[in-house]
Amino acid sequence: MTDLLSNSTLVLGGARSGKSRFAENLITSSGLERHYIATGRAWDDEMQARIDQHKADRGGSWTTHEEPLDLAERLKAIDGAGRAIIVDCLTLWLTNLMMEGRDIALQAAALAAWLPQAKAKLVIVSNEVGLGIVPENRMAREFRDHAGRLHQMIAAKADEVYFIAAGLPLKMKG
């Protein structure tokens, strides 16, 4: 079954588009040991409720790793043949990097450079935020621009890229 899953897959889409469910379904049928890297932080009760719902939806057959900042290092630490890893999601990771004043270009380049070396099957989830209107404030515009550049870097390295809308996947690469 594992031949059906590419070495690296990027799954993009809008909020509540079905990205995470699609990513989980790719891995669930793989027969591989399942790992889930959650990048989100519970900044408020609503976000905590979302995190709790995601955990409940996945069930107990996943090993969850919470990693808000050092994503490439965490991936390297848990990488291995016979494993499948979901990263959910790049835009929450990007938010954390921005809030901490980290070097986003350096972090993104490190992640993209490592992807082709992975032994595990990777499915990386991210929100496509560049399809709407131009944000009204500088930080939101910087976030959108960083996300666009990050997605381009990861898509260039990924074997497959999907765009999800209304729960339906559109294969863009691979």
Side-chain angles (χ1 to χ4, degrees):
M1 236 6 199
T2 58
D3 326 5
L4 300 177
L5 184 61
S6 289
N7 285 338
S8 58
T9 302
L10 175 61
V11 179
L12 296 168
R16 296 287 189 233
S17 62
K19 301 177 304 292
S20 295
R21 184 178 315 114
F22 179 79
E24 290 165 15
N25 287 340
L26 284 175
I27 287 180
T28 299
S29 61
S30 71
L32 298 169
E33 179 184 317
R34 297 181 230 173
H35 291 262
Y36 193 99
I37 298 178
T39 62
R41 286 179 164 166
W43 297 102
D44 56 31
D45 291 341
E46 186 268 340
M47 187 60 177
Q48 185 62 56
R50 285 178 181 252
I51 290 169
D52 292 344
Q53 187 61 54
H54 266 282
K55 286 180 183 176
D57 290 347
R58 280 195 306 277
S61 63
W62 295 80
T63 301
T64 300
H65 309 266
E66 295 184 5
E67 185 52 65
L69 295 168
D70 298 317
L71 182 55
E73 291 305 313
R74 179 61 65 112
L75 279 164
K76 290 175 192 175
I78 65 171
D79 185 30
R83 291 185 172 176
I85 303 169
I86 288 181
V87 174
D88 197 354
C89 81
L90 289 184
T91 45
L92 290 175
W93 176 61
L94 178 58
T95 298
N96 297 333
L97 294 176
M98 288 181 74
M99 298 300 284
E100 296 287 331
R102 297 279 184 107
D103 185 333
I104 294 165
L106 182 68
Q107 298 282 328
L111 177 61
W114 177 78
L115 284 180
Q117 303 167 36
K119 296 174 191 79
K121 303 288 186 174
L122 302 174
V123 180
I124 301 169
V125 178
S126 197
N127 293 292
E128 179 51 65
V129 296
L131 297 174
I133 60 172
V134 175
E136 68 175 41
N137 66 72
R138 180 181 176 175
M139 184 178 195
R141 287 188 298 275
E142 287 176 359
F143 175 80
R144 178 209 51 200
D145 294 348
H146 285 309
R149 286 188 290 271
L150 176 61
H151 292 160
Q152 288 181 56
M153 291 173 72
I154 301 304
K157 299 288 185 173
D159 297 315
E160 291 183 335
V161 178
Y162 288 91
F163 184 80
I164 311 297
L168 301 172
L170 171 64
K171 192 170 192 178
M172 300 173 70
K173 178 182 176 183

